[in-house]
Amino acid sequence: MDGGAIDPEPAGEPVADMYVGTLSFDLLLGDVHSLKEKRSVVRPIVAELQRKYAVSAAEVEHMDLHRRAVVGLAMVSGDAGHLSDVLDRCERLVAGRPEVELLSVGRRIHGDDD
């Protein structure tokens, strides 16, 4: 037996609870006439989500359309309540941005038993 090895947990017993939450925002951009202008609207939203809430976020669809964007984000937490709270805050942040119209939001939360 290796003196530095750590015995794994018995099979079937989770080490800790883990929850993964995702959001997708379907956005209609306002007075935007080029992909360059689109980037100047979408990038600050993505950056603010990442900075304020420590989530992973990116534009994930409609990259070739200048007035539409889908921004996706994901977060991992050991606490389902905290995860839901952060996702709610992210949704409010995006919905409150005057330069975009939030067309729809998709939300998923996955737990250990999924």
Side-chain angles (χ1 to χ4, degrees):
M1 180 181 247
D2 180 19
I6 298 174
D7 290 333
E9 291 290 321
E13 291 183 30
V15 175
D17 289 335
M18 181 176 73
Y19 302 93
V20 178
T22 62
L23 286 175
S24 62
F25 303 106
D26 189 0
L27 305 174
L28 178 64
L29 284 61
D31 190 28
V32 172
H33 303 286
S34 70
L35 293 176
K36 184 177 180 179
E37 287 179 20
K38 175 186 179 176
R39 282 192 307 274
S40 72
V41 172
V42 173
R43 280 187 179 171
I45 294 170
V46 169
E48 187 173 5
L49 287 166
Q50 293 170 332
R51 181 180 47 80
K52 279 184 115 171
Y53 301 112
V55 296
S56 295
E59 182 181 359
V60 295
E61 284 185 45
H62 303 311
M63 270 76 103
D64 57 341
L65 302 176
H66 65 271
R67 292 205 59 224
R68 291 288 300 276
V70 174
V71 172
L73 70 80
M75 179 182 171
V76 177
S77 178
D79 180 342
H82 173 69
L83 177 65
S84 184
D85 181 53
V86 172
L87 295 180
D88 289 343
R89 291 174 189 218
C90 290
E91 186 173 341
R92 284 193 298 272
L93 182 144
V94 174
R97 298 295 291 245
E99 67 273 26
V100 299
E101 180 182 340
L102 184 56
L103 299 176
S104 67
V105 178
R107 178 185 291 227
R108 291 185 132 172
I109 297 180
H110 306 275
D112 287 332
D113 51 345
D114 288 345

